[in-house]
Amino acid sequence: MVPFPVIDTSTSSNLTGHLFILGFGGHARSAADVAVSAGWSNITFVDRNVIDGEHFSAYHAIRELPEVQRPDWQVFPAAGDNSRRRAQIEATTAKLATLVSSSARFGLEAIVGEATFVGHGAHVGPGAIVGRGVILNTQSIVEHEVRIGDYAHVSVNAVVAGRARIGRNVFVGAGAVVIDSISVCDDVVIGAGAVVSSSIDEAGVYVGVPARRMK
Ligand SMILES: CC(=O)SCCNC(=O)CCNC(=O)[C@H](O)C(C)(C)COP(=O)(O)OP(=O)(O)OC[C@H]1O[C@@H](n2cnc3c(N)ncnc32)[C@H](O)[C@@H]1OP(=O)(O)O
């Protein structure tokens, strides 16, 4: 895992400046929701496919980031797809935002990387290290001393138990469970509801209880 900056996860209320969310799909809308809970009020979506005048809630969508950017602007890449989000992050030259819901909980010494999303009710346990551009979705649980690689997505209600290791670009499906102390290598998809009870060292798609490779 590459090094990433530690962010202050204690509070981010009353933010000034402007947040540009890249994308206008489902994850982008969740990002806006979390941003509002974290104190952002000036938010604009950026998506080249939007039609003039499109908006979600109070927030407008435009096709391109303004060319001249101000120092108090931040950009949040919000593609739900891990590879697309990675490409967005790598192409961004502006300051990257990290979005943490006001209802997320952090244990002692837990850290998350830049451009990471921590959704409503998510729990990041003590000593957990979460990479760059990661999605820890609504009510996900990442327990003590877990490592989550860059551009991974721990989906809604999924559990990664203590000291497990999740590689880069891994998708952990909704409600899936990765039991404690096992490792999942890079580029793995774990289906919704799966229980991963032994380490995975080959990229592929794994489903079921216990999880088995389907392709
Ligand atoms: C905020 C949010 O909404 S976050 C998004 C959360 N979304 C998720 O968690 C979705 C996770 N995705 C899945 O679970 C998907 O079904 C995948 C990735 C595992 C597989 O997708 P596909 O490759 O398109 O598989 P497909 O739908 O063609 O199914 C292939 C077979 O696997 C079975 N299958 C698919 N998913 C699962 C699963 N999670 N568990 C068990 N079996 C499954 C299907 O029933 C089908 O079986 P059959 O051949 O006997 O009919």
Side-chain angles (χ1 to χ4, degrees):
M1 191 183 295
V2 295
F4 46 79
V6 176
I7 65 150
D8 174 8
T9 52
S10 56
T11 179
S12 52
S13 60
N14 300 319
L15 292 164
T16 57
H18 203 116
L19 179 67
F20 291 88
I21 294 177
L22 304 186
F24 195 49
H27 183 55
R29 293 164 197 229
S30 294
D33 198 52
V34 162
V36 168
S37 89
W40 287 98
S41 52
N42 298 319
I43 299 171
T44 302
F45 297 97
V46 182
D47 187 315
R48 70 174 53 136
N49 297 316
V50 297
I51 300 161
D52 283 343
E54 270 197 279
H55 61 95
F56 174 66
S57 187
Y59 308 107
H60 291 280
I62 57 175
R63 289 201 198 93
E64 301 284 345
L65 265 181
E67 253 176 48
V68 180
Q69 294 178 15
R70 291 177 24 179
D72 60 348
W73 288 2
Q74 294 187 37
V75 171
F76 186 75
D81 176 79
N82 289 343
S83 301
R84 286 190 46 229
R85 190 169 64 261
R86 177 182 184 168
Q88 285 179 329
I89 291 168
E90 289 177 347
T92 298
T93 52
K95 181 174 167 49
L96 289 164
T98 297
L99 294 183
V100 176
S101 165
S102 58
S103 64
R105 301 178 304 273
F106 283 81
L108 294 171
E109 310 287 343
I111 56 174
V112 300
E114 66 178 357
T116 280
F117 169 95
V118 185
H120 298 314
H123 174 79
V124 188
I129 300 179
V130 176
R132 178 179 204 246
V134 171
I135 298 174
L136 301 184
N137 226 322
T138 313
Q139 302 272 16
S140 60
I141 295 177
V142 167
E143 260 302 340
H144 62 88
E145 298 154 281
V146 160
R147 302 283 182 271
I148 306 280
D150 297 343
Y151 316 114
H153 179 170
V154 181
S155 196
V156 294
N157 268 316
V159 175
V160 181
R163 296 188 176 154
R165 299 278 186 274
I166 302 292
R168 289 161 66 98
N169 191 38
V170 168
F171 176 80
V172 182
V177 176
V178 178
I179 70 165
D180 43 298
S181 299
I182 67 163
S183 297
V184 175
C185 70
D186 297 348
D187 304 314
V188 165
V189 173
I190 298 166
V195 175
V196 182
S197 54
S198 54
S199 290
I200 294 176
D201 54 15
E202 204 175 347
V205 180
Y206 293 77
V207 298
V209 181
R212 301 275 185 242
R213 190 169 181 190
M214 68 174 266
K215 60 182 168 183

